[in-house]
Amino acid sequence: MRGSSLWIVSNIAACDFKLTWKERSVIFWIFLMPIAFMLFFGVSFRGSGGSTPRAKLTVENQDGGFLSSELLEALRKESISLVDSLAEGENPVRTLVIPPEFTKKVLSRERTTLVIRREEGVSQEASEAVSVAVLRSLIRIVSGLIELEGEALEQGDRRFTTTGSTLSGSLWELGGGNGAFMDSIHVELDSLQTREPLVTVSSTMAGRAQELPSGFRGSVPGSLVMFVLMSMVFGGIGITQERVSGILKRLGMTPASRIDVLLGKLLGRMGVAFIQIAVLLLAGRFLFGVSLGSSPFALVALMVVFTFCTGGFSILFGSLFRTPEHMEGIAVITTLVMAALGGCWWPIEMVGKPFQILALVFPTGWAMNGLHKLISFGLGTAAILPHLAVLAAFGLVFLLVGARKLKWTA
Amino acid sequence: MRQALLIVLKDLRRRLRNPIAVISMMLIPITITLIIGLVFGRSGEVELPRIRVLLIDKDDGIFSHFLRQSMQQEQFAEMIELVEVDGNEGRAAIERGEASALLEIPENFTDDLLDHKPVQLGLKKNPAEAFLPVIVQELVETTALMLDSGVRIFGGPIEQLRSMFEGEGWPSRDDAGGLLDSSRDNMILVGGYMADSLISLRNEVAEHEIEEEGAGVGLNIFAFVLPGSLLIGLLFISQIALRDIVREKEYGTLARLFTAPLEAGHVVAGKILSAFAITGLSCILLVLVGRFAFGISLGKPLPLVFHLVATVFMCTGVITLCYGFIRSDRAADAVLPVVILTMCLLGGSMIPYEQMGATLQDVGRFSPVFWAVDGLKMVFIERANLSDISLHLGILYGLGILTVVPGTALLRKRMRSGG
Amino acid sequence: MIEVKDVRKSYGDVAALGGISFTVREGEIFGFLGPNGAGKTTAISIISGLLLADSGTVRVADMDIRKDSRRIRKIQGVVPQEIALYEELTGRENLHFWGSLYGLVGGNLRGAADRVLELVGLSERANDPVRTYSGGMKRRINLCVGLMHRPRILLLDEPTLGIDPQARLNILDIIRGEVSGGTTVIYTTHYLEEAENLCDRIAIIDHGQILAEGTLQQLTQLVGEEDIVMVTGNFTDEQVRPLLSEVKVEHLEDGAFRALVPDSGAIGKLLGRFFSAGVHVGEVSIKEPSLESVFIKLTGRELRD
């Protein structure tokens, strides 16, 4: 064992591993910053999860009739939050403006317009949810109304009747300002609204996880992949620094072979990444409630291959530069590009097809996709075999090119 | 003063000789802006790709056809790609995540509905996607609601129609006439809403005194993204520019400077001024890139200039104060990126402030970056006047002074005591 | 112990080593003396197995460096010119790491680290990070790394570079003490006095060629018993050539010449002829036979720090 390749590799790996933790600021980069990103991105892209705060809607009701209150009643059943009163100094985010005489106009079959006014820059997603909710409430009210109108027409009163294909009169005229009549319509409309729906939709999640997706389900894997990559790329700068300081040269003069040194460096980096991944996954699980899927083995396998791949990239990155100066800026840009295009920043389904395909050019894209298969779908190893193969191939290519380009001396 | 200027000139010359560090930091905001702009298109509004929905239709009746057609109407057809699949194939595909959702219409869907029996559509969503399945769900639920209403309104006539066809032989003329009569009224009633838009729903964005010249210009997503990423770049550039304060001490050039007839104040002022100049120069270059490469409209000149100066001042000030406490290169490496990224994260540099959620937004307002980014967006997008951004300017200049003054004092004190 | 035959190495068009050959016997301290860029580090790199020579053979302890590189490296200790240490780690941690690569483990490893730390007088600072050390302390730890596993062969590449004379003497003492146990040493330097004081045999190297090789005594015999006299002044070579008939001229150009003279009397006569011929003499320097004079004779220039 002593003096063998395995011994040398493990010693180089252990030294690299130890070196990483000597720098106290790495705690921030390896653990705290990714967790902060998980939190921020998770809260900001919350999607449709159960914890989603509902879209807020303030109502400006200029109508005095019952239809507007029916409409609001219907709106309350939708998954939005109606703001009854604003706190002092608070500005409405979105406002539904119900015009004056809304009830009268609708009952008279005159045209009227509801307005949803939103402040600039407010969440587009929430605004769309509000539009849909208002539309659905309108459908409910209107369809009830049509049923009542249909019944009224059957009475054949001349104040509301059809001749050929034209309609004359309206419920309003039929009521003729009679309060009791209006009340009866109100009551009937109410009772129509309480009927059980005929068509319902049961919606479930595919996969075995059966958990509501939340923003964290995207932000936890996204931040994990991005920051593991970042640690690795920055680790590459360490290789260049070792070359400049003569440490690589000295390593080359020890009994360690070139392959021993490369493997040692790779394993040392992978060790750091494992700790990082373990902490981040635990944070994802216990701080943000993200499921880790149903196959721990598959998750570990994917993470091992991903760290191998990024470890290879670290060595390639370190072998490309002659001096460590300016590498930091390039490291940041490389990480940002690979993370953003690989789908770490936003749900990949939101981007166009070309960018979805482009994501697969980067190992980050494969890692994200694989994590979704495990975490979101709850699938097992079989589902990520292609991912394992592709990431391993990426890693191997990075490592081989890196090994070829790596110079021992400055 | 002359000595301070000499130091500024020397530092600027050194920086120009070796600009790669600053340039690489300038590339960060450009890269972020470029990626987001390219990925989401320039229009500002996120354009979602077509949503792939798998459909298993076990009914194949009138109502299932209605559902299918309403999801393939003109406006939805652009949004939804409806792919009919058979049961097993569809379920396997959604398990593999090959679509955003799978809609399953059960057997006897039409018949049950005609019998006024409750029916249930099955929607299986892709758990890996956060947004698209939700859109599908909304759409399916709305369509189901329309179907529900339709069945209630036209249930009678349709029932008649069905019994006509289920009976022996052809329906009689009377049957057909009765059917027409009973459905006609309802058609007219519904037509009023469908064709004549008796009730219309209008969405509008609250307008904030947008000037005529600004009106009609579509939102450029770059204008929305650049301010945030610009701040990341500027803060990092400031810290590089001021890094000399600790580095020159380690190189020994600082001690040498003091062998010349210089006051500590001159050296500190020179360093801060040169950092201000370098950050300002980078800011101008980045804004020009924004203007000419990304086509951002820069708003009105006066508010733009005042706001950019305030932003650069604030960046230099905050970093000066940090260096007031930082004594070595290593400490700067460890502390500054943390401070900068935290300010940027909270201030809306990385995620739009509007999207951050109430609590984080409240915290975000304590980040100087928020005031810089928000003001810059107002200048770019809303063509804000000086009065519109007066609060932002006040806070930024105020912060600049509140950080530069103690920062300078700390640095001066330290230099007097030998660095 | 070490046998180098006609080793050549080029970087592109630049020949770093132009065919050097030498032999180092067991237990001997072999010095490589030459200015910066002479090829000393390249030679060390090839002997240590870091670089492969373009041609030629290197045999160490009867093994070929091309075939048995790993076995050779196990019995060698190398101290590179750079302070190749992990600054973040303590002195002891550095020693443990490098020692472990040579197969040291457990008590042996700890014992070896304690031994070398004691040797260089850094036991008390051993647990401080290297970055807090002074330049001389770093050099000492740099040396320690090469001594940890008690190598049979020690390759030292300018181990005293950039430190003060006192610290340099200290390092030379350590090396002397360490090799008294029979270690074979190759020591490169561009400090003449180090080569003179430490080495059993010396090779003078310049522009990738070994110009001379031997013991100090053998080398100084190259300049014989004669002194070297160097004269500069305001004259032309035509003017002084006739005046130099009685000395061995090594080099002559307008304003300067170098010549070998048997004794100081000859110098007096020479200068007397100059004065009487009215030749202006600016500066005269006389070197007695020494490594320096050998170097000057061989390379035509002084070896400066």
Side-chain angles (χ1 to χ4, degrees), chain B residues 156-179:
Chain B
I158 293 170
E159 177 58 28
Q160 265 177 301
L161 191 70
R162 182 172 66 159
S163 53
M164 270 185 239
F165 284 101
E166 278 172 358
E168 304 244 327
W170 288 97
S172 69
R173 178 183 284 249
D174 284 351
D175 284 343
L179 175 67

Coordinates of all heavy atoms in Angstrom, one line a residue, chain B residues 156-179:
Chain B
G156 N -81.3 20.4 -22.4 CA -82.6 19.9 -22.9 C -82.6 19.6 -24.4 O -82.8 18.5 -24.8
P157 N -82.3 20.6 -25.3 CA -82.3 20.3 -26.7 C -81.3 19.2 -27.1 O -81.7 18.3 -27.9 CB -81.7 21.6 -27.3 CG -82.0 22.7 -26.2 CD -82.0 22.0 -24.9
I158 N -80.2 19.1 -26.4 CA -79.3 18.0 -26.8 C -79.8 16.6 -26.5 O -79.8 15.7 -27.2 CB -77.9 18.2 -26.2 CG1 -77.2 19.5 -26.7 CG2 -77.0 17.0 -26.4 CD1 -76.0 19.9 -26.0
E159 N -80.5 16.6 -25.3 CA -81.1 15.3 -24.9 C -82.2 14.9 -25.9 O -82.2 13.8 -26.3 CB -81.8 15.6 -23.5 CG -82.6 14.4 -23.0 CD -81.7 13.2 -22.8 OE1 -80.5 13.3 -22.7 OE2 -82.3 12.1 -23.0
Q160 N -82.9 16.0 -26.4 CA -83.9 15.7 -27.4 C -83.2 15.1 -28.7 O -83.7 14.2 -29.2 CB -84.6 17.0 -27.8 CG -85.9 17.3 -27.1 CD -86.4 18.7 -27.5 OE1 -85.7 19.7 -27.3 NE2 -87.6 18.7 -28.1
L161 N -82.2 15.8 -29.0 CA -81.5 15.4 -30.2 C -81.0 13.9 -30.1 O -81.2 13.1 -31.0 CB -80.2 16.3 -30.4 CG -79.5 16.2 -31.7 CD1 -80.3 16.8 -32.8 CD2 -78.2 17.0 -31.6
R162 N -80.5 13.6 -28.9 CA -80.0 12.2 -28.7 C -81.2 11.2 -28.9 O -81.1 10.2 -29.6 CB -79.4 12.1 -27.4 CG -78.8 10.7 -27.2 CD -78.0 10.6 -26.0 NE -78.8 10.7 -24.8 CZ -78.4 10.3 -23.6 NH1 -77.3 9.7 -23.4 NH2 -79.2 10.4 -22.5
S163 N -82.3 11.5 -28.2 CA -83.4 10.6 -28.3 C -83.9 10.4 -29.7 O -84.3 9.4 -30.1 CB -84.5 11.0 -27.3 OG -84.9 12.3 -27.6
M164 N -83.8 11.5 -30.5 CA -84.3 11.5 -31.8 C -83.4 10.4 -32.6 O -83.9 9.6 -33.3 CB -84.0 12.8 -32.5 CG -85.2 13.7 -32.5 SD -84.8 15.1 -33.5 CE -84.9 16.4 -32.3
F165 N -82.1 10.5 -32.4 CA -81.2 9.6 -33.1 C -81.2 8.2 -32.5 O -81.0 7.2 -33.2 CB -79.8 10.1 -33.2 CG -79.7 11.2 -34.1 CD1 -79.6 12.6 -33.7 CD2 -79.6 11.0 -35.5 CE1 -79.5 13.6 -34.7 CE2 -79.5 12.0 -36.4 CZ -79.5 13.3 -36.0
E166 N -81.5 8.1 -31.3 CA -81.6 6.8 -30.7 C -82.9 6.0 -31.0 O -82.9 4.8 -31.0 CB -81.5 6.9 -29.1 CG -80.0 7.0 -28.7 CD -79.9 7.3 -27.2 OE1 -80.9 7.4 -26.6 OE2 -78.7 7.4 -26.8
G167 N -83.9 6.8 -31.4 CA -85.2 6.2 -31.8 C -85.1 5.5 -33.1 O -84.1 5.5 -33.8
E168 N -86.1 4.8 -33.4 CA -86.1 4.0 -34.7 C -86.4 5.0 -35.8 O -87.3 5.9 -35.7 CB -87.2 2.9 -34.6 CG -87.0 2.0 -33.5 CD -86.7 0.6 -33.9 OE1 -87.2 0.2 -34.9 OE2 -85.9 0.0 -33.2
G169 N -85.8 4.9 -36.9 CA -86.1 5.7 -38.1 C -85.7 7.1 -38.0 O -85.1 7.5 -37.0
W170 N -86.0 7.9 -39.0 CA -85.6 9.3 -39.0 C -86.5 10.1 -38.1 O -87.7 9.8 -38.0 CB -85.7 9.8 -40.4 CG -84.5 9.3 -41.3 CD1 -84.6 8.2 -42.1 CD2 -83.2 9.8 -41.3 NE1 -83.4 8.0 -42.7 CE2 -82.5 8.9 -42.2 CE3 -82.5 10.8 -40.6 CZ2 -81.2 9.1 -42.4 CZ3 -81.2 11.0 -40.9 CH2 -80.5 10.1 -41.8
P171 N -86.0 11.2 -37.5 CA -86.8 12.0 -36.7 C -87.9 12.7 -37.5 O -87.6 13.1 -38.7 CB -85.9 13.1 -36.0 CG -84.6 12.9 -36.8 CD -84.6 11.6 -37.5
S172 N -89.0 13.0 -36.9 CA -90.1 13.6 -37.7 C -89.8 15.1 -37.8 O -89.0 15.7 -37.1 CB -91.4 13.4 -37.0 OG -91.4 14.1 -35.8
R173 N -90.6 15.8 -38.7 CA -90.5 17.2 -38.9 C -90.8 17.9 -37.6 O -90.2 18.9 -37.2 CB -91.4 17.6 -40.0 CG -91.4 19.1 -40.3 CD -92.4 19.4 -41.4 NE -91.9 19.0 -42.7 CZ -91.6 19.8 -43.6 NH1 -91.7 21.1 -43.4 NH2 -91.1 19.4 -44.8
D174 N -91.8 17.4 -36.9 CA -92.2 18.1 -35.6 C -91.1 18.0 -34.6 O -90.8 19.0 -33.9 CB -93.5 17.4 -35.1 CG -94.7 17.8 -35.9 OD1 -94.5 18.7 -36.7 OD2 -95.8 17.2 -35.7
D175 N -90.5 16.8 -34.5 CA -89.4 16.7 -33.6 C -88.4 17.7 -33.8 O -87.9 18.4 -33.0 CB -88.8 15.3 -33.7 CG -89.6 14.2 -33.1 OD1 -90.5 14.6 -32.3 OD2 -89.4 13.0 -33.4
A176 N -88.0 17.8 -35.1 CA -86.9 18.7 -35.5 C -87.3 20.2 -35.2 O -86.5 21.0 -34.7 CB -86.6 18.6 -37.0
G177 N -88.6 20.5 -35.5 CA -89.0 21.9 -35.3 C -89.0 22.2 -33.8 O -88.5 23.3 -33.4
G178 N -89.5 21.3 -33.0 CA -89.5 21.6 -31.5 C -88.1 21.8 -31.0 O -87.8 22.7 -30.2
L179 N -87.2 20.9 -31.5 CA -85.8 21.1 -31.1 C -85.2 22.4 -31.5 O -84.6 23.1 -30.6 CB -84.9 20.0 -31.8 CG -83.5 20.0 -31.5 CD1 -83.1 19.7 -30.1 CD2 -82.7 19.0 -32.4

